[in-house]
Amino acid sequence: MHRAFIMALLVAILTGLGSPTGRAADTPTTRAIWLWDPDPMLTQAGARADFFRFLEQEKITIVWAQVGTEAGPGSGRQLKHRAEWRSWLAEAHQRHIRIEALDGDPSWALKAYHGAPLGVVEAILAFNREAGPREQLDGLHLDIEPYLLTAWRFRLARQTLLREYLDLLVTAQTRLYEFPGMQFGVDIPSWWGSTDERTGRPIADVLFQGTRKAASEHLIDRLDNVGIMNYRNFAEGGDGLIGHGTDILAYADKARHARIWMGVETSRSTPTPAWFAVGLPSADVDRILEGPTPVIGQDSRLDGFRVRLFDDGFNTHVGLSIPDADQARPSPALLTALAKIAARFSVLSTPGPADRGVVAEARALRAFRSDREWQDPAPRPIVDPQTKAEYPGFAATSVMLPKLTFAGLPAETMRRELAVAENVFATYGSYAGIAVHHY
């Protein structure tokens, strides 16, 4: 999507949100924005001027800007482009704009990987200690998304994953608060507190420090701010912005701690192709994934490739996302990794009827064709580059559902839907404002 079009979408979202009635019309609201590529603002005067002009025009006062780190003195980490960050921060603060560091990866939720985010915390603290008062970062905002890991699929593994995730955030917050005035927040999806039909408990239910409740509530109890990925392009109804947001705000009002940002999406993610082995019955796949000799790493990667799962109601199909570099011509590394998947998870990896592969493949393709999150499913066998063994497989492309983003909708539609939603949100004392994903 062209940058000019994205800018137009953001302008449409961030203007005209006031409502003729209610608190939304009377109370000033702030705006935040995710900035995943700050390098142009750090190194290019023109891009920096354009960015500040946009923030001023749309009354955005908080920027969550991704930081990069590199090896520092001793065994620690330090921010990249430190001089450029100091210059940018000084200008931002002169304009009354807060800049909070942004970073995250799903694997960071795992205890084995906590060193990476805690290294980011230490790099931020070191940077602030060396910088002048107007050149310091104002906080840290983490976007980790542990539900993207394979472990999330299993109730007990999910409990462990969430406890490790919460342990990380408590530790990071404690260390970050060593520097006065720092704010600490995270991004979470709107559905963590929703009821899991299998258990009757919240989907992200976890026992943490003696209390069992949704991880979202643990975070609201402790952190300075929480960004809710409330990605819908309509306000009303059970599946709309209001339906997904008000229970969270009601809890936050009772907790009287974290401020709640309601995040909306304005861009459309790039379609992502994946290649799957036609899989085993779901119970068999679960047994293998939870077994003592896992094929897939804790970080849900195999040989560096992101693992994907698709359950068609009978079988679970295990595959890999196809990187851009492998789409025209799969690399030997990708083919080898797919062969490992197929050898362990393919319908042909266990004894059975001769036609079991054909039946499972037909069922899988029907399920993919009926799922709006996937497009263009087609048979694509997997051939082991070493043994030349062939396994039934198929490829499909993951796409963003239209309801998740305002991209492509008329500006007036965005104004109307966000005005309706914000008029309700602003009646809650914990509501901080709209956060836009992303610049």
Side-chain angles (χ1 to χ4, degrees):
M1 185 177 297
H2 294 297
R3 186 176 186 83
F5 183 52
I6 291 292
M7 293 287 287
L9 290 177
L10 295 176
V11 170
I13 285 178
L14 295 168
T15 57
L17 293 186
S19 172
T21 61
R23 182 179 159 195
D26 305 321
T27 304
T29 57
T30 53
R31 297 283 181 266
I33 195 165
W34 284 270
L35 178 64
W36 287 105
D37 182 16
D39 282 3
M41 273 54 78
L42 295 173
T43 60
Q44 301 172 25
R48 180 185 297 193
D50 288 344
F51 184 63
F52 282 135
R53 192 178 302 113
F54 174 77
L55 298 184
E56 181 179 2
Q57 176 184 340
E58 307 310 333
K59 298 180 173 57
I60 296 172
T61 58
I62 296 178
V63 178
W64 299 322
Q66 186 176 27
V67 294
T69 65
E70 59 189 6
S75 59
R77 306 289 295 176
Q78 64 183 11
L79 292 191
K80 297 178 181 178
H81 307 302
R82 292 180 302 285
E84 291 84 356
W85 272 103
R86 285 192 285 270
S87 171
W88 188 45
L89 287 162
E91 187 172 353
H93 291 143
Q94 186 177 11
R95 296 170 178 269
H96 307 290
I97 295 165
R98 292 175 57 87
I99 306 286
E100 298 180 12
L102 169 68
D103 212 347
D105 185 272
S107 65
W108 289 4
L110 298 161
K111 185 175 181 179
Y113 293 86
H114 285 183
L118 294 178
V120 172
V121 172
E122 296 305 324
I124 290 169
L125 292 174
F127 174 84
N128 273 9
R129 292 185 186 113
E130 296 171 359
R134 304 288 292 175
E135 301 171 341
Q136 297 162 352
L137 287 158
D138 297 297
L140 173 62
H141 198 84
L142 290 178
D143 185 352
I144 294 177
E145 305 184 39
Y147 49 88
L148 297 178
L149 298 176
T150 305
W152 187 269
R153 178 183 175 93
F154 309 105
R155 185 177 63 84
L156 294 178
R158 188 190 311 165
Q159 293 268 315
T160 301
L161 175 62
L162 284 169
R163 279 194 294 271
E164 293 181 1
Y165 168 72
L166 293 172
D167 279 337
L168 165 68
L169 297 180
V170 169
T171 302
Q173 183 179 39
T174 300
R175 293 191 186 180
L176 197 71
Y177 282 2
E178 293 175 9
F179 198 90
M182 294 290 277
Q183 292 282 299
F184 184 56
V186 297
D187 296 325
I188 60 173
S190 62
W191 46 264
W192 270 8
S194 300
T195 302
D196 185 334
E197 294 179 359
R198 294 172 298 175
T199 65
R201 297 287 302 169
I203 291 173
D205 185 48
V206 59
L207 177 65
F208 183 68
Q209 295 184 350
T211 302
R212 178 177 292 282
K213 55 185 172 182
S216 50
E217 295 181 355
H218 285 294
L219 294 173
I220 291 169
D221 290 345
R222 289 167 169 79
L223 305 189
D224 298 307
N225 61 81
V226 176
I228 304 300
M229 291 180 279
N230 194 0
Y231 295 165
R232 292 294 185 271
N233 58 21
F234 51 94
E236 298 178 300
D239 194 34
L241 288 161
I242 296 169
H244 288 297
T246 50
D247 285 350
I248 296 168
L249 289 166
Y251 180 83
D253 274 7
K254 290 189 296 183
R256 301 180 67 84
H257 202 284
R259 298 278 287 162
I260 305 300
W261 293 94
M262 285 295 165
V264 296
E265 181 65 88
T266 64
S267 62
R268 192 177 302 280
S269 61
T270 303
T272 305
W275 195 347
F276 295 86
V278 175
L280 294 163
S282 296
D284 293 340
V285 172
D286 288 354
R287 175 179 50 79
I288 297 169
L289 289 172
E290 290 190 287
T293 55
V295 180
I296 297 166
Q298 273 192 306
D299 60 354
S300 298
R301 291 182 180 273
L302 176 63
D303 298 344
F305 298 99
R306 175 69 67 186
V307 173
R308 302 296 301 266
L309 302 178
F310 181 85
D311 190 328
D312 66 15
F314 297 91
N315 298 338
T316 292
H317 312 283
V318 184
L320 301 173
S321 292
I322 304 176
D324 291 344
D326 287 296
Q327 290 180 22
R329 183 177 182 180
S331 64
L334 175 62
L335 294 174
T336 298
L338 283 165
K340 292 178 183 178
I341 292 282
R344 197 71 179 92
F345 296 100
S346 167
V347 65
L348 299 186
S349 64
T350 59
D355 67 345
R356 64 194 185 279
V358 176
V359 173
E361 181 180 287
R363 182 184 290 134
L365 290 173
R366 284 198 301 271
F368 267 89
R369 289 176 184 130
S370 65
D371 190 326
R372 296 178 63 202
E373 293 188 57
W374 292 92
Q375 290 182 350
D376 305 322
R380 190 174 184 182
I382 297 171
V383 178
D384 188 320
Q386 276 74 47
T387 67
K388 306 306 178 185
E390 182 173 317
Y391 302 90
F394 54 90
T397 300
S398 175
V399 296
M400 175 184 279
L401 290 174
K403 70 178 181 179
L404 301 181
T405 178
F406 283 102
L409 291 179
E412 184 54 39
T413 299
M414 293 185 287
R415 293 191 189 99
R416 181 182 66 249
E417 297 302 321
L418 287 172
V420 171
E422 188 154 51
N423 191 49
V424 175
F425 294 156
T427 63
Y428 293 86
S430 57
Y431 177 64
I434 292 289
V436 177
H437 187 269
H438 56 90
Y439 180 70

